[in-house]
């Protein structure tokens, strides 16, 4: 670990005491807009979380934080963009659980998926939901499983590419019912949702941040949440375990990153804005409506984020290796 990144892990107070690079010492950061890369298409759940956070962080930083969607290849293209960006604080990445699965799923990448980043703090934890087009011929999860098993050759399941949360969740679902179906990759589950609403794909497993409003509007059908307890904003949906699939559990988490080598005082300033944004009333309300919650302040630190990410990566690697399903 470099001295710079070790300082980044110390947080705001220690960073203030550390000698600051010239730009920061002059109070110059940020003196122009910051780009937040969202590694999935606009309109999807990562984008939704990213835009809410970027708006409030930008207000605190006194410069706009502008979201740029760099979708494709399961979120690796956007991550690569940030890993290879100048480490000056003007490019950050809002990514999800894929940061833990990509290192094992992708054996060839043009960037270092573990050491290419500074962690700036955890952001949210989001349940997932198993959803289907509105006229899918099943009234509950048990019926859905029967139909999928019977029609396995005709059913298709949308996802945002290998490494996406929807891919992971879809794999767990297929494993839980011991049935493989055709998967259809998109650049994000925003566009996949359009096709689900339009009825051109059958199923998807996606974050509540993308599915809650569509389930409520009955433009799609919700069958289960993938958490161990019900989600207040979608309380009518059973957990997968309650509905008969005990081994189908996954929660998505989001974190904020900067390129490796971003100066500690700049990383600390970004973390400070993130922590403040997570306590913002609009964010709390909007997140609650969408079935998610901002992480507690003590979890929105670079240290907790890195430790959590490392542990999660270690958890998924053997599972991915045992499944033998790689992106390449
Ligand atoms: N929810 C997507 C996923 O499957 C990504 C997105 O479009 O935000 O990971």
């Amino acid at each position: 670990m470099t001295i710079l990144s070790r300082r980044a892990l110390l947080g705001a107070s220690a960073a203030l005491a550390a000698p600051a690079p010239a730009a920061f010492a002059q109070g110059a950061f940020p003196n122009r807009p910051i780009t937040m890369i969202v590694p999935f298409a606009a309109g999807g759940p990562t984008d939704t979380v990213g835009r809410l956070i970027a708006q409030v962080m930008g207000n605190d930083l006194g410069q706009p934080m502008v979201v740029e969607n760099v979708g494709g290849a399961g979120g690796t293209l956007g991550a690569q963009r940030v890993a290879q960006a100048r480490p000056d604080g003007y490019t950050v990445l809002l990514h999800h659980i894929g940061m833990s699965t990509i290192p094992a799923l992708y054996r060839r990448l043009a960037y270092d998926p573990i050491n290419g980043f500074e962690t700036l703090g955890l952001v949210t934890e989001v349940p997932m939901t198993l959803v289907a087009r509105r006229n899918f011929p099943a009234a509950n999860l048990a019926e859905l499983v029967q139909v999928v098993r019977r029609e396995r050759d005709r059913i298709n399941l949308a996802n945002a590419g290998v490494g996406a949360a929807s891919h992971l969740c879809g794999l767990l679902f297929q494993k839980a019912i011991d049935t493989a179906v055709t998967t259809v990759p998109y650049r994000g589950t925003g566009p996949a949702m359009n096709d689900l609403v339009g009825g051109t794909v059958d199923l998807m497993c996606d974050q509540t941040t993308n599915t809650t409003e569509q389930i409520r509007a009955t433009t799609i059908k919700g069958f289960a949440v993938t958490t161990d307890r019900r989600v207040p904003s979608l309380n009518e949906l059973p957990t997968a375990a309650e509905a008969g699939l005990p081994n189908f559990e996954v929660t998505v988490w989001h974190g904020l990153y900067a390129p490796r080598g971003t100066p500690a005082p700049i990383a600390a300033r970004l973390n400070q804005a993130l922590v403040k944004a997570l306590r913002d009333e609009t964010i709390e309300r909007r997140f609650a409506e969408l079935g998610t919650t901002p992480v507690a302040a003590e979890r929105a630190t670079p240290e907790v984020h890195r430790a959590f990410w490392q542990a999660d990566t270690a958890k998924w690697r053997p599972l991915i290796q045992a499944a033998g399903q790689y992106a390449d």
Side-chain angles (χ1 to χ4, degrees):
M1 188 186 295
T2 63
I3 291 171
L4 277 180
S5 63
R6 208 176 277 142
R7 276 201 207 121
L9 299 182
L10 289 175
S13 51
L16 286 176
F24 191 78
Q26 289 155 17
F29 179 82
N31 62 12
R32 58 187 166 88
I34 295 171
T35 301
M36 174 191 276
I37 301 288
V38 165
F40 295 102
T46 314
D47 183 67
T48 298
V49 169
R51 281 176 200 272
L52 283 165
I53 291 286
Q55 164 89 42
V56 180
M57 283 183 70
N59 290 346
D60 183 61
L61 291 162
Q63 287 287 340
M65 198 176 247
V66 181
V67 170
E68 189 183 334
N69 299 90
V70 183
T76 58
L77 297 184
Q80 176 177 340
R81 171 83 81 83
V82 177
Q84 294 173 350
R86 277 172 67 99
D88 57 7
Y90 288 98
T91 310
V92 297
L93 173 70
L94 190 280
H95 210 316
H96 66 17
I97 190 170
M99 289 295 279
S100 302
T101 57
I102 282 166
L105 281 169
Y106 285 77
R107 291 174 295 184
R108 278 187 290 274
L109 282 170
Y111 69 99
D112 185 333
I114 295 171
N115 298 311
F117 304 92
E118 305 292 349
T119 48
L120 297 176
L122 290 169
V123 177
T124 51
E125 271 163 347
V126 195
M128 299 197 86
T129 43
L130 182 67
V131 294
R133 58 182 159 81
R134 69 185 298 183
N135 54 358
F136 194 90
N140 53 45
L141 186 60
E143 285 182 21
L144 177 127
V145 171
Q146 277 177 9
V147 176
V148 173
R149 286 198 172 124
R150 199 175 57 229
E151 313 271 328
R152 65 181 71 190
D153 296 335
R154 281 196 294 201
I155 299 286
N156 54 46
L157 173 69
N159 67 35
V162 179
S166 47
H167 167 256
L168 182 66
C169 188
L171 277 185
L172 295 177
F173 172 63
Q174 293 173 82
K175 189 154 181 273
I177 66 167
D178 201 18
T179 304
V181 297
T182 304
T183 53
V184 186
Y186 291 79
R187 292 175 82 81
T189 48
M193 179 60 83
N194 292 340
D195 280 3
L196 193 71
V197 169
T200 53
V201 285
D202 299 308
L203 302 175
M204 181 158 73
C205 193
D206 201 21
Q207 286 105 300
T208 54
T209 32
N210 199 31
T211 60
T212 301
E213 286 169 356
Q214 301 289 0
I215 293 171
R216 288 253 182 72
T218 68
T219 49
I220 59 172
K221 270 188 188 173
F223 287 89
V225 289
T226 63
T227 36
D228 60 356
R229 63 189 76 148
R230 291 190 183 209
V231 176
S233 53
L234 281 172
N235 201 39
E236 68 285 4
L237 285 196
T239 67
E242 281 171 344
L245 288 183
N247 297 321
F248 177 36
E249 218 182 286
V250 56
T251 299
V252 176
W253 57 273
H254 291 96
L256 192 67
Y257 303 82
R260 182 76 164 187
T262 300
I266 290 177
R269 179 69 189 95
L270 290 165
N271 168 260
Q272 194 184 49
L274 172 65
V275 169
K276 206 164 159 197
L278 296 178
R279 289 196 307 257
D280 178 83
E281 268 179 23
T282 312
I283 295 231
E284 281 186 345
R285 181 180 44 76
R286 195 66 194 120
F287 275 15
E289 285 166 2
L290 296 173
T292 182
T293 34
V295 298
E298 63 272 18
R299 298 192 65 220
T301 68
E303 301 88 328
V304 172
H305 181 182
R306 184 163 291 277
F308 180 82
W309 176 27
Q310 276 169 350
D312 206 46
T313 307
K315 177 181 112 183
W316 286 109
R317 188 178 291 280
L319 298 174
I320 290 164
Q321 283 168 345
Q325 293 208 11
Y326 298 102
D328 45 56

